[in-house]
Amino acid sequence: MNDAHRPVHALSVEVQAFTDLINDVGGDDWDTPTPAPGWSVRHQVAHLVSVFRIAGQAAADPEGFRTMLAALSSDFEKNVAQAMTPLLSLSNRELTSRWHQTSSATLDSLAGIPDDRIVPWLVNDLPSAVLCMAGTTEAFAHGQDVRDTFDYRRKPSPHVRSICEFAYHTRTFGYPGQGRDVPDDTSLRFELTSPTGETWSIGDAGTANVVRGSAWDLALLVTRRRHPADLDLEGSNDHVRDWMSIAQAYRGSGGPGRRPLLQQRSGS
């Protein structure tokens, strides 16, 4: 496979985008609250450092990763907080340096193994290509929080396909994230328009459960950074529209999600 089409390339694009973003945000602005309740810009950076650190370990040192995983609590949210806590006390410069070092090492580790190499992860082992997709989605989501904090705009790019493919892999995560049972029918297909005007079809051929619209907007949907009402997406039936209301590409609580932008502007 051409390196430009490997999932690790999309990951490198998103890492660079986040790096450029935090280089633009300096001084006391790192303590500015972001749209994620209780999280400042500093929390966003610290979280990504912690996630990329363990992703790099999973790729470079699988046995060491398994040992680390065995020592973790069964409380997902507690593990997230514990991983971030020591990083939050670092200065802006130290935390930025830690991000540079950690993201670079992780990219090198993932680029150095085949896409189909199975690596350990937090719940299930998975191919390294899927771990790259997960990292791309994380960096996209937390970068969007920082952009929304300062009203920064971003030009969509085709690497978002990696996030859309990950959204298919994680299509059932929203149900437990909202305290609901996963339904019997989990078939889903995305028929999407890419940022360059191509048509992408991802998922189950022949299913009646289809999401149609913008690929970039699907990424915003499954990271819960926009309300479905604000996105150029439509579901083919009630089952799909229900899925869109709870969709998330990460484990744990989905939280309340974002309010529609019209409500945010009106303060309602």
Side-chain angles (χ1 to χ4, degrees):
M1 179 185 292
N2 186 311
D3 283 350
H5 293 101
R6 294 185 64 199
V8 73
H9 174 72
L11 180 60
S12 70
V13 170
E14 203 56 52
V15 163
Q16 188 60 54
F18 189 78
T19 299
D20 292 343
L21 176 63
I22 63 171
N23 286 342
D24 286 342
V25 179
D28 294 338
D29 285 344
W30 273 43
D31 295 314
T32 304
T34 67
W39 280 32
S40 66
V41 173
R42 188 179 310 281
H43 286 83
Q44 303 283 352
V45 181
H47 178 68
L48 281 184
V49 171
S50 64
V51 168
F52 273 70
R53 180 173 59 201
I54 62 172
Q57 184 179 20
D61 179 18
E63 291 311 309
F65 178 90
R66 293 184 195 281
T67 299
M68 178 276 297
L69 188 62
L72 292 180
S73 162
S74 59
D75 186 330
F76 181 81
E77 304 296 339
K78 180 180 178 181
N79 292 332
V80 171
Q82 287 182 336
M84 289 171 56
T85 296
L87 297 167
L88 293 172
S89 63
L90 298 177
S91 69
N92 293 3
R93 178 174 294 183
E94 290 171 327
L95 188 53
T96 299
S97 177
R98 191 71 62 88
W99 164 249
H100 290 321
Q101 294 167 4
T102 304
S103 60
S104 177
T106 299
L107 283 170
D108 287 346
S109 294
L110 288 166
I113 60 177
D115 289 346
D116 59 358
R117 171 79 57 84
I118 302 299
V119 297
W121 195 233
L122 300 176
V123 177
N124 299 310
D125 294 356
L126 41 72
S128 67
V130 177
L131 183 55
C132 288
M133 294 174 190
T136 303
T137 304
E138 285 277 343
F140 175 91
H142 295 289
Q144 190 62 48
D145 282 339
V146 177
R147 289 183 179 87
D148 287 343
T149 300
F150 302 105
D151 198 27
Y152 287 3
R153 295 291 185 263
R154 183 178 181 192
K155 181 179 179 181
S157 73
H159 82 279
V160 75
R161 177 164 186 142
S162 189
I163 300 174
C164 297
E165 292 183 0
F166 189 64
Y168 174 75
H169 286 293
T170 59
R171 63 193 180 279
T172 63
F173 283 12
Y175 297 103
Q178 296 294 331
R180 294 171 52 179
D181 293 332
V182 177
D184 292 335
D185 184 3
T186 62
S187 66
L188 188 63
R189 186 171 75 255
F190 304 135
E191 294 181 356
L192 305 170
T193 302
S194 80
T196 54
E198 299 172 278
T199 299
W200 294 340
S201 181
I202 299 169
D204 300 305
T207 182
N209 303 324
V210 183
V211 178
R212 297 183 176 91
S214 161
W216 194 261
D217 283 8
L218 181 70
L220 291 168
L221 175 77
V222 300
T223 53
R224 297 184 70 80
R225 266 53 186 184
R226 290 291 184 274
H227 189 277
D230 296 319
L231 299 173
D232 179 17
L233 295 169
E234 63 178 26
S236 60
N237 54 41
D238 288 343
H239 176 75
V240 177
R241 287 187 285 273
D242 177 59
W243 177 86
M244 291 170 63
S245 73
I246 62 168
Q248 65 182 70
Y250 53 89
R251 292 190 182 273
S253 171
R258 301 287 175 87
R259 291 180 299 157
L261 291 176
L262 185 60
Q263 287 186 15
Q264 294 179 41
R265 290 173 185 139
S266 66
S268 59

